[in-house]
Amino acid sequence: MNPLKLLKAIGFWLLVVVIVVYAVFPFYYAILSSMRSGSALFQVVLLPEHFDFSNYIAVFAEQPFARNILNSVIVAVSVVAVSLFLGVTAAYALGRVSFRGRGALLLMILAVSMFPQVAVLSGMFELIRRLGLYNSLPGLILANLILTLPFTVWVLTTFMRELPKELEEAAFVDGASPWIVVRRVFLPLMWPALVTTGLLAFIAAWNEFLFALTFTLSNEQRTVPVAIALITGASQHELPWGNIMAASVIVTLPLVVLVLIFQRKIVAGLTAGAVKG
Amino acid sequence: MFRRLLLAAVASIAATGFAHAAEIAISCGAVGTELELCKSGAEAWAKKTGNTVKVVSTPNETNERLALYQQLLSAGASDIDVFQIDVIWPGILGSHFIDLAPYSKGAEKDHFPAIVANNTVDGKLVAMPWFTDAGVLYYRKDLLEKYGAQPPTTWQELTDTAAKIQEGERKAGNDKFWGFVFQGKAYEGLTCDALEWIDSFGGGTIIDEKGAITVNNPKAAAALTLAASWIGKIVPDGVLNYGEEEARGVFQSGNAAFMRNWPYAWALGNGADSPIKGKIGVAALPKGATDGKNTGTLGGWQLAVSKYSKSPEIAADLVMYLASLDVQKSRAIKGSFEPTIVALYQDKEVLTDVPFFGSLQSTFLNAVARPSKITGANYNKVSNAFWNAVHNVLSGKAKAEDSLAQLESELKRIKRSHW
Amino acid sequence: MVSFAAALSPIFWGDQMVHQSELTRARLRSAWIFLAPMLIVLALVAAWPLLRTIYLGFTDANLSDPSKAQFIGFDNFLAKYEGEWSGLLVDPQWWNAVWNTVWFTVRSVTIETVLGTIVALVLNANFPGRSIVRAAVLVPWAIPTIVSAKMWGWMLHDQFGVLNTILQNLHIISAPVAWTANADTAMWAVVIVDVWKTTPFMALLILAALQMLPSDCYEAAKVDGINPIKVFFKVTLPLIRPALLVAVIFRALDSLRIFDLIYVLTSNSRDTISMSGYARQQLVDFQEVGIGSAAATLLFIVIAIITVLALTVGKVRLAEDTAR
């Protein structure tokens, strides 16, 4: 290895280290905090001095936290499934078929993302109640679509449009229906985009707080962010920091696992196996 | 005592006699002691009356809780029957609650009159006092002794003592030591703190009982000028973004001589792992001048019954039960919740378990209420304008006199012809 | 919304293109069938809440008795009361919030885009342990905002915050900085946390775009021995531009609507309050549903203008219908 190459490698790894530290340090600090309690929380430490999991136990003992996690999983998975299905079909129409008004339609979809959530809240509350979905998971799934659909449609449309034209033309000449084309030709090529948007939509639904708080009432229907916000101390002003951090660590881990599972798919697209620059 | 019990029993029989057993949903804290005590109290009532209760947990963050309540109440939802509301909410939410006077049978007379007055909106008793809170001064007994000082009786005295201790402790090697911490973030807590300064100087309560805007006066300006002089000297700059827990963090780590906070910090500061365990003293907040008065801002929570409830009589009965002497006493002993019934501050059992209740009785009794009753639904606007004006003075962006004059005209704009 | 409807009407019912082959017509038909489910669902969840908000902006609705709301025209936006102009358009607090939000958005989105691109390029490279790094980078995005905001508030605390301790140990600062308390640093503190939180979003979208690039361009460049930085600006960037722009647009839309992060970090301080914070304050804290909805509508208009400007300047191909 010549010196220049070595220097390059060192620079690259330094960059990787900086990125990882920047991203993970606060989370690491959360893990540290989750093992401490009482006055110890007000002291700064950088290394764990003991492993104490009592906060983790408390999180599960004091509320139906496992149930909350399950609720979040159900809501997030459903939101992702619905968004991706609607997103892919719409993206095909918007990205591959030319008809007039596409631009206006895309803008209108985008406009939905231009209202602050708190302003939409009351109307959504009425809608959910009128549909009889108050305090139920389907209600939350429906409400979350307003957050994920515009984004999913736009991203998928953009990616769909970038794919070479010859792909589908060959299939159409063979007499394939549009649905077959989407499924057989586009979907396999779209994996990176699908996994990415799916992941982002999943996290959006997983973290959503305002709708989840307002549209549910019983602890058994609540999702994780709400459950964390409901963690109270013995008295009104006390913030049970250790418990909150423990709960946050618990809810972040499934997402990390999810990323580890799906990150292979992110790279499994068009260029899989090819040499990259 | 016996008569009261009998009355309560009669009332509950009457209530259950009219309607069938019902399920009452009550909003409480979500976990920990607060939930436990709320649950056990409500379940005891359910057992006695044959009704069932459902505890709905609501967020700890006061603002989020208010937002949730408003959403439910403005939609006329009957999902929650009994609401636990903050002391400043009767004016804001009062129109959604029933008048409890017909159910209380005069029981409110045993409670702190200031809170009962606060909970009476347009002649309606919209909520029963449940537990109270008031700002108090925490000090380090050991440090006062070390520097030969007494707990301060005026703010000026506090300023001097804090400066002396801070200087000494820093020389001794703790360069993180500060004289005083309080809640200086631009939020409701700052309104509480600043109201205490101004009221203790005799500068009034921002808006008087009749609704006149009184805040622009020399005494109020003097109070804020003194407070602004603390920042960066005996109080860390960061206090401008401190809430209750940030202030407690500094004090409880042993890095401050004085702290303004609510009584909750007492038990935590004396916890087994606290570095300042046993070294904490609690006193009433200082006076403005020797002719001023001790004051603390009134806090605490009330119980109200939604007028959209399907069985308001039964819900009201639950409220009366929870606000009763027996339940408040057991909450005081088991969870250090400050009772709103005057007699409990002389109760031997209570005082053995929570000794400082006795010494703070006058603080609770004389606590100053924020002008939430007279300003009604406009209270949050008033408070927001006030804390922003104070925050500007503290951060040195404006002089107290100018800021208060501007605040006055802003409040006039909010008020227009009436509150 | 009115303008959108106007823009759409000739498109929906106007003249169809004349020379259409059977295939094109079949594709058009199927396009609408493909679009329908998404449009129906979106209309179901969005139409009522959005139209209701716009309508309420023209009323004096108040939370304490919503049934008494009356139509008052543009009074929430601009009105004369006792010879004095009032309303949102002359409210300095509103414009302060607009300024804060735009200031915040420009800075945070710019930093996020640059950082996100760098992170994406690193993640796109082949190196051992890549999958772990990928997961690690996504962690900030995965933590619920309310939690991460509180966490950072704790870490930024001037007395017992870990950030000051680290910076002091590294001798970067000599005395603790009150990050969130000082008006000058408070907004930057918000930007730092937002960048930390949302760079993964950018990075992931850009990474997906990088992954979908055809590899032949690179090989050609590699054979020619062109400087990799040059390759990035000349080849990669133009190719990922559409995806990059979409990522920027959605990030900008999100940060123009930012609320919870600022609220948790610095409360409703006037130094940092955002447009959404202002709307929420009116809607929730002040019970002024009318004014709050008007503010939300105005916020929508501000964002729409910025978006259309960005789309025009960025030359985003929305409707290159004629090209195909």
Side-chain angles (χ1 to χ4, degrees):
Chain A
M1 210 183 245
N2 63 41
L4 191 71
K5 242 187 181 161
L6 190 73
L7 211 67
K8 255 187 185 166
I10 290 173
F12 178 80
W13 281 102
L14 215 61
L15 194 60
V16 171
V17 169
V18 168
I19 290 170
V20 170
V21 168
Y22 178 54
V24 175
F25 179 76
F27 186 62
Y28 167 73
Y29 199 65
I31 297 176
L32 277 189
S33 304
S34 71
M35 306 218 194
R36 330 180 79 205
S37 50
S39 302
L41 285 165
F42 299 126
Q43 263 107 54
V44 177
V45 284
L46 292 173
L47 292 169
E49 64 259 279
H50 58 280
F51 294 92
D52 173 8
F53 293 97
S54 57
N55 286 332
Y56 289 83
I57 297 164
V59 165
F60 282 99
E62 287 176 350
Q63 60 210 328
F65 201 67
R67 180 68 199 258
N68 298 141
I69 294 178
L70 181 69
N71 287 342
S72 274
V73 170
I74 294 172
V75 169
V77 168
S78 314
V79 168
V80 169
V82 175
S83 308
L84 282 186
F85 173 73
L86 296 175
V88 167
T89 49
Y92 169 73
L94 290 164
R96 307 299 300 189
V97 184
S98 68
F99 57 91
R100 296 181 65 182
R102 262 199 312 185
L105 208 55
L106 274 169
L107 272 183
M108 222 167 80
I109 294 164
L110 195 62
V112 172
S113 308
M114 293 182 193
F115 277 87
Q117 203 187 356
V118 65
V120 180
L121 188 68
S122 289
M124 195 65 95
F125 186 77
E126 287 174 9
L127 184 78
I128 298 275
R129 286 191 84 94
R130 210 158 296 168
L131 293 174
L133 296 176
Y134 184 67
N135 198 23
S136 75
L137 296 183
L140 281 187
I141 295 167
L142 196 69
N144 274 317
L145 286 176
I146 200 176
L147 304 175
T148 56
L149 256 188
F151 161 77
T152 322
V153 171
W154 261 71
V155 173
L156 291 180
T157 301
T158 313
F159 280 105
M160 190 83 92
R161 198 155 49 191
E162 295 308 310
L163 294 175
K165 215 172 177 182
E166 299 73 33
L167 282 171
E168 66 188 317
E169 268 164 13
F172 274 123
V173 170
D174 290 348
S177 74
W179 179 236
I180 300 282
V181 172
V182 169
R183 257 186 45 208
R184 295 272 164 79
V185 181
F186 288 118
L187 276 193
L189 294 175
M190 295 276 291
W191 268 114
L194 282 176
V195 171
T196 307
T197 38
L199 212 53
L200 294 176
F202 186 94
I203 293 171
W206 181 267
N207 288 347
E208 199 287 321
F209 172 71
L210 196 54
F211 287 161
L213 170 66
T214 317
F215 304 154
T216 59
L217 207 57
S218 50
N219 282 346
E220 287 69 35
Q221 298 297 324
R222 280 179 165 152
T223 58
V224 159
V226 182
I228 293 178
L230 291 179
I231 295 179
T232 49
S235 52
Q236 195 212 140
H237 304 285
E238 186 192 348
L239 192 67
W241 198 244
N243 290 15
I244 291 177
M245 285 297 104
S248 313
V249 172
I250 296 167
V251 306
T252 311
L253 288 180
L255 294 174
V256 173
V257 173
L258 205 68
V259 177
L260 283 174
I261 294 172
F262 278 103
Q263 63 90 25
R264 278 180 190 287
K265 287 287 183 190
I266 304 180
V267 286
L270 255 189
T271 50
V275 187
K276 284 175 215 86
Chain B
M1 184 66 216
F2 177 71
R3 263 193 63 195
R4 198 178 6 243
L5 271 180
L6 196 69
L7 267 175
V10 170
S12 65
I13 290 166
T16 42
F18 291 126
H20 297 291
E23 186 183 65
I24 301 297
I26 174 171
S27 75
C28 283
V31 296
T33 330
E34 200 177 347
L35 175 71
E36 213 173 282
L37 286 175
C38 175
K39 229 180 196 161
S40 61
E43 263 153 21
W45 168 84
K47 213 170 190 184
K48 205 181 77 177
T49 58
N51 295 300
T52 45
V53 282
K54 192 173 85 185
V55 172
V56 177
S57 41
T58 48
N60 192 30
E61 183 77 36
T62 317
N63 248 303
E64 272 157 20
R65 199 181 277 189
L66 177 63
L68 179 66
Y69 285 1
Q70 285 182 324
Q71 192 65 59
L72 285 165
L73 288 169
S74 65
S78 61
D79 301 271
I80 297 182
D81 303 283
V82 177
F83 286 85
Q84 182 189 329
I85 61 167
D86 197 351
V87 72
I88 49 173
W89 295 350
I92 299 171
L93 299 173
S95 60
H96 299 290
F97 297 137
I98 64 165
D99 184 3
L100 288 172
Y103 305 97
S104 72
K105 312 272 190 318
E108 70 271 18
K109 289 195 190 79
D110 299 333
H111 296 254
F112 283 128
I115 308 179
V116 174
N118 176 73
N119 293 358
T120 309
V121 177
D122 299 330
K124 268 171 41 181
L125 180 66
V126 296
M128 275 302 278
W130 199 22
F131 57 96
T132 186
D133 226 352
V136 293
L137 181 73
Y138 290 87
Y139 59 88
R140 288 281 299 276
K141 279 194 295 200
D142 56 327
L143 291 179
L144 286 189
E145 217 167 279
K146 183 173 165 191
Y147 293 90
Q150 292 296 311
T153 53
T154 65
W155 286 109
Q156 189 55 52
E157 217 178 301
L158 180 140
T159 313
D160 301 337
T161 313
K164 195 165 116 191
I165 298 177
Q166 180 179 316
E167 204 193 325
E169 287 300 296
R170 290 209 175 175
K171 265 192 198 137
N174 183 358
D175 60 353
K176 273 189 165 178
F177 195 88
W178 290 93
F180 181 41
V181 284
F182 58 91
Q183 292 79 45
K185 182 160 127 179
Y187 81 126
E188 187 62 31
L190 179 56
T191 295
C192 297
D193 286 29
L195 178 64
E196 283 157 358
W197 307 330
I198 292 179
D199 189 45
S200 70
F201 270 75
T205 56
I206 310 169
I207 288 156
D208 71 11
E209 285 140 41
K210 297 201 180 66
I213 299 163
T214 61
V215 73
N216 187 14
N217 64 64
K219 284 179 173 166
L224 293 190
T225 308
L226 178 66
S229 76
W230 298 334
I231 310 293
K233 298 232 171 61
I234 59 164
V235 163
D237 292 317
V239 87
L240 290 171
N241 203 33
Y242 281 8
E244 283 86 0
E245 284 293 82
E246 285 86 358
R248 180 171 76 87
V250 176
F251 185 73
Q252 197 170 315
S253 325
N255 287 332
F258 296 103
M259 168 175 72
R260 183 272 175 208
N261 215 324
W262 307 94
Y264 86 100
W266 168 262
L268 295 163
N270 280 319
D273 63 345
S274 168
I276 53 168
K277 184 181 178 225
K279 297 175 184 166
I280 310 172
V282 183
L285 286 163
K287 299 172 184 178
T290 34
D291 62 334
K293 58 173 179 173
N294 297 108
T295 134
T297 296
L298 181 69
W301 292 82
Q302 339 294 318
L303 291 171
V305 174
S306 159
K307 75 174 178 195
Y308 314 107
S309 165
K310 291 206 176 84
S311 22
E313 310 89 4
I314 302 178
D317 185 55
L318 170 60
V319 168
M320 291 310 146
Y321 175 80
L322 289 176
S324 70
L325 186 128
D326 290 345
V327 176
Q328 287 211 358
K329 180 171 167 178
S330 86
R331 286 171 62 86
I333 293 171
K334 286 182 194 150
S336 309
F337 286 98
E338 294 84 348
T340 58
I341 295 174
V342 189
L344 282 173
Y345 287 85
Q346 263 102 45
D347 189 289
K348 276 208 188 88
E349 283 173 71
V350 173
L351 290 183
T352 338
D353 273 68
V354 220
F356 75 95
F357 275 6
S359 57
L360 288 181
Q361 188 197 348
S362 69
T363 309
F364 290 120
L365 205 55
N366 297 324
V368 55
R370 286 160 275 175
S372 60
K373 194 186 141 201
I374 182 73
T375 52
N378 279 316
Y379 173 70
N380 274 336
K381 286 183 214 171
V382 170
S383 182
N384 186 62
F386 178 65
W387 81 53
N388 270 307
V390 174
H391 201 265
N392 273 346
V393 176
L394 292 183
S395 62
K397 274 192 229 150
K399 280 191 112 115
E401 289 80 9
D402 305 340
S403 194
L404 287 177
Q406 209 188 337
L407 173 65
E408 186 182 28
S409 63
E410 200 170 333
L411 292 180
K412 273 185 187 150
R413 253 203 317 279
I414 297 169
K415 183 184 178 186
R416 290 198 171 175
S417 54
H418 60 88
W419 289 111
Chain C
M1 297 304 269
V2 176
S3 63
F4 278 128
L8 284 176
S9 53
I11 295 150
F12 284 152
W13 299 285
D15 52 334
Q16 289 284 320
M17 273 176 263
V18 195
H19 305 289
Q20 281 177 339
S21 68
E22 189 60 34
L23 188 68
T24 325
R25 226 170 301 152
R27 285 184 66 191
L28 257 182
R29 232 191 347 265
S30 62
W32 282 107
I33 296 170
F34 272 59
L35 263 176
M38 188 274 294
L39 289 178
I40 291 169
V41 171
L42 202 59
L44 175 71
V45 291
W48 170 244
L50 298 192
L51 295 177
R52 184 180 172 280
T53 302
I54 295 171
Y55 166 74
L56 284 174
F58 295 98
T59 68
D60 61 356
N62 191 291
L63 263 190
S64 53
D65 193 357
S67 56
K68 270 201 294 205
Q70 279 186 353
F71 189 81
I72 53 165
F74 283 92
D75 281 9
N76 285 331
F77 298 92
L78 196 63
K80 213 165 195 177
Y81 177 79
E82 285 175 359
E84 244 183 280
W85 287 104
S86 66
L88 282 173
L89 289 174
V90 290
D91 184 356
Q93 305 302 344
W94 163 254
W95 291 112
N96 171 45
V98 173
W99 168 245
N100 282 345
T101 315
V102 173
W103 190 102
F104 162 79
T105 302
V106 169
R107 275 165 179 72
S108 63
V109 174
T110 310
I111 300 174
E112 280 155 30
T113 310
V114 175
L115 269 184
T117 313
I118 294 174
V119 173
L121 286 171
V122 168
L123 292 186
N124 196 37
N126 228 333
F127 62 91
R130 180 168 65 168
S131 58
I132 302 284
V133 175
R134 275 201 181 137
V137 163
L138 213 63
V139 163
W141 181 250
I143 301 175
T145 310
I146 40 162
V147 174
S148 59
K150 274 189 184 149
M151 200 164 83
W152 273 93
W154 214 246
M155 288 173 33
L156 290 167
H157 191 282
D158 59 325
Q159 298 300 309
F160 50 79
V162 67
L163 195 71
N164 276 336
T165 310
I166 293 177
L167 291 180
Q168 273 179 303
N169 286 345
L170 295 175
H171 297 287
I172 295 173
I173 54 172
S174 57
V177 176
W179 296 100
T180 50
N182 189 323
D184 305 323
T185 52
M187 208 57 177
W188 275 110
V190 176
V191 170
I192 291 173
V193 179
D194 192 66
V195 166
W196 172 80
K197 169 124 188 87
T198 52
T199 301
F201 173 93
M202 281 288 203
L204 211 60
L205 274 179
I206 298 169
L207 177 64
L210 289 172
Q211 291 292 334
M212 286 178 68
L213 289 183
S215 49
D216 38 2
C217 313
Y218 288 108
E219 270 157 31
K222 222 175 192 176
V223 170
D224 294 346
I226 303 172
N227 177 355
I229 294 173
K230 225 174 194 172
V231 173
F232 172 75
F233 282 103
K234 288 273 156 70
V235 184
T236 316
L237 198 58
L239 282 172
I240 62 167
R241 212 186 62 133
L244 188 66
L245 277 171
V246 169
V248 169
I249 287 170
F250 276 91
R251 265 315 304 146
L253 288 187
D254 265 359
S255 38
L256 285 168
R257 294 181 297 158
I258 186 170
F259 163 70
D260 37 9
L261 179 62
I262 292 183
Y263 182 75
V264 175
L265 270 186
T266 63
S267 190
N268 272 335
S269 155
R270 280 178 191 168
D271 296 327
T272 51
I273 195 167
S274 64
M275 290 193 281
S276 275
Y278 181 96
R280 191 202 128 101
Q281 199 173 46
Q282 295 288 349
L283 276 171
V284 178
D285 299 346
F286 298 171
Q287 313 213 311
E288 298 282 4
V289 176
I291 299 176
S293 302
T297 308
L298 217 50
L299 193 162
F300 163 71
I301 294 171
V302 170
I303 295 184
I305 291 172
I306 294 177
T307 311
V308 169
L309 276 178
L311 290 176
T312 320
V313 172
K315 296 199 188 102
V316 174
R317 293 172 303 156
L318 271 181
E320 78 291 38
D321 310 353
T322 44
R324 284 203 182 177

